[in-house]
Amino acid sequence: MSAGRGGVGWESRATARDVAALAGVSPQTVSRVAADAPNVRPETRARVRAAMAKLGYTPNTAARMLRSGRSNVIGVVVHHLARTGEAHIVDAVVTTAHEHGYATTLVDAPDGSLEHLDAALQRLASTAGVVVLGLETADVDRLQIPGRLPVVVADSRSLTHPAVGCDQRGGVQAAVEHLLDLGHGTVHLVGGPAHSLQAREREQAWRATLARRGRPTPDVRHGDWTPGSGYAIGQLLAADPEVTAVLAANDEMAAGVMHALHEAGRQIPRDVSVVGFDDVLADHLWPPLTTVHQDFAAIGSGLVRVLLHRLAPSGDSADADDMAGGDATHAEHHGGAPRAATDALTRLVPARLVVRASTGPAPSSPA
């Protein structure tokens, strides 16, 4: 065997011990660097990576998984990745997982049904744990989870599974009260699909806020989250001179509503005020859209941190509240069976209203 890289024979495959010897560290440190673990000093990480490059070292991920008995992959179940919000959460999940030394793999549950969710979990049974996004079923507590696979759900409801979600109700309440405080007699809702749990939660908060303020509740018109559906509903709203305030269940439908109002000659906000939900493109509309900001990055990061808290040996991780993010709060229990355990509490990331130029005082008389 001839001498080669750093004293390692050209015909042999470099090992973690070879890298450790060249870098002047322990083999355990090499393993931590190979897994992108965060608990390595930057100068040590750089020295180890330089030794890896010099020796042509490639970590044997499969062997490491067999030795530890643990996967370094987090599964992500998606339902409708084309939705802007879900894509933002996935991006945050992937980024946070990588920062903690985990890869990610995505599996689609096409219609969000319990059957397809169960099938997706079965496909991810060998992963370290699973993050479930885009739930559209009220039967989430009946999920068939393989073995002791840790699962965290992106949801704002009180569930028997750990969950992290946006404070949907608080965000809608702030939006409706903002419009009422501007003098509008009521607020018309462009809701999401009738089957959508998120759309239902936002509609319930809208109804509750109007009722609490003693205002009439107009008929809801349901869209499908797209600008086109918002535009079609906006044409109907624009034809009604009594409509002075509109809340759309997402920014994309709000954009369609604004398009229809412009075409009909209804000026925003002089004649009609418009509010959206999500804050993904709101500042690029004209006029810039007042909307409820969802912190998708905090939700995605919180999902991974809660999952890692469940994966860590007892006492080895931070408090679950900290793992979900510094601004997260526990959800109240809204009926049903009591939660099974402390770590099954739903953690809500606050939603905040961002006021821009699309809302203003109610007109003194109908347009």
Side-chain angles (χ1 to χ4, degrees):
M1 180 175 68
S2 60
R5 304 154 295 183
V8 178
W10 287 106
E11 291 83 4
S12 65
R13 185 179 186 275
T15 67
R17 291 188 178 278
D18 298 326
V19 174
L22 182 59
V25 298
S26 68
Q28 290 77 14
T29 299
V30 174
S31 296
R32 286 197 293 272
V33 172
D36 271 340
N39 56 336
V40 180
R41 278 183 269 183
E43 58 271 21
T44 302
R45 187 185 303 275
R47 197 164 68 249
V48 170
R49 290 203 178 281
M52 288 178 174
K54 183 173 183 179
L55 297 177
Y57 172 74
T58 302
N60 191 334
T61 304
R64 187 168 67 247
M65 287 169 56
L66 286 172
R67 288 195 302 271
S68 66
R70 288 180 56 183
S71 168
N72 71 331
V73 176
I74 290 175
V76 184
V77 177
V78 297
H79 164 46
H80 200 313
L81 198 53
R83 286 186 196 159
T84 308
E86 190 167 320
H88 282 300
I89 294 175
V90 169
D91 182 65
V93 166
V94 171
T95 299
T96 307
H98 177 74
E99 289 172 353
H100 289 82
Y102 285 83
T104 50
T105 184
L106 271 62
V107 173
D108 183 33
D111 60 1
S113 67
L114 198 61
E115 178 184 1
H116 285 130
L117 288 169
D118 287 342
L121 289 172
Q122 289 295 332
R123 290 177 60 186
L124 296 169
S126 62
T127 61
V130 177
V131 172
V132 180
L133 306 179
L135 283 173
E136 295 292 3
T137 174
D139 300 322
V140 62
D141 290 335
R142 291 169 48 203
L143 284 174
Q144 299 297 312
I145 299 175
R148 301 177 65 183
L149 180 70
V151 172
V152 178
V153 179
D155 208 298
S156 55
R157 294 170 295 166
S158 299
L159 306 172
T160 56
H161 301 292
V164 179
C166 171
D167 183 8
Q168 311 265 358
R169 294 174 181 268
V172 169
Q173 178 180 325
V176 174
E177 290 186 340
H178 168 67
L179 290 166
L180 297 181
D181 290 344
L182 287 169
H184 297 276
T186 190
V187 178
H188 291 254
L189 178 67
V190 179
H195 67 270
S196 167
L197 296 174
Q198 288 190 12
R200 287 186 213 168
E201 191 166 11
R202 295 175 193 181
E203 180 177 333
Q204 290 167 3
W206 166 77
R207 291 183 182 279
T209 307
L210 289 178
R212 188 169 55 253
R213 295 286 292 263
R215 304 301 175 86
T217 306
D219 292 337
V220 180
R221 292 179 168 89
H222 294 281
D224 62 5
W225 302 120
T226 65
S229 67
Y231 175 75
I233 295 171
Q235 290 178 310
L236 299 175
L237 295 173
D240 183 352
E242 298 297 325
V243 174
T244 67
V246 177
L247 169 63
N250 74 340
D251 286 352
E252 293 176 66
M253 291 193 298
V257 169
M258 294 171 74
H259 181 186
L261 290 170
H262 283 305
E263 282 191 349
R266 303 289 299 277
Q267 292 189 29
I268 304 170
R270 190 195 71 179
D271 302 324
V272 183
S273 290
V274 181
V275 178
F277 200 108
D278 285 341
D279 199 17
V280 293
L281 49 80
D283 53 348
H284 296 292
L285 296 174
W286 189 257
L289 178 66
T290 296
T291 189
V292 177
H293 176 82
Q294 281 205 77
D295 193 341
F296 296 114
I299 295 170
S301 175
L303 287 163
V304 175
R305 292 176 184 279
V306 170
L307 185 61
L308 295 180
H309 175 74
R310 299 194 69 202
L311 293 174
S314 178
D316 285 356
S317 65
D319 180 78
D321 291 333
D322 294 332
M323 295 301 285
D327 292 331
T329 57
H330 290 307
E332 295 180 359
H333 188 57
H334 300 290
R339 299 185 179 103
T342 301
D343 71 346
L345 293 173
T346 299
R347 295 165 180 85
L348 294 182
V349 174
R352 59 184 174 86
L353 183 69
V354 180
V355 178
R356 298 189 177 97
S358 70
T359 52
S364 55
S365 61

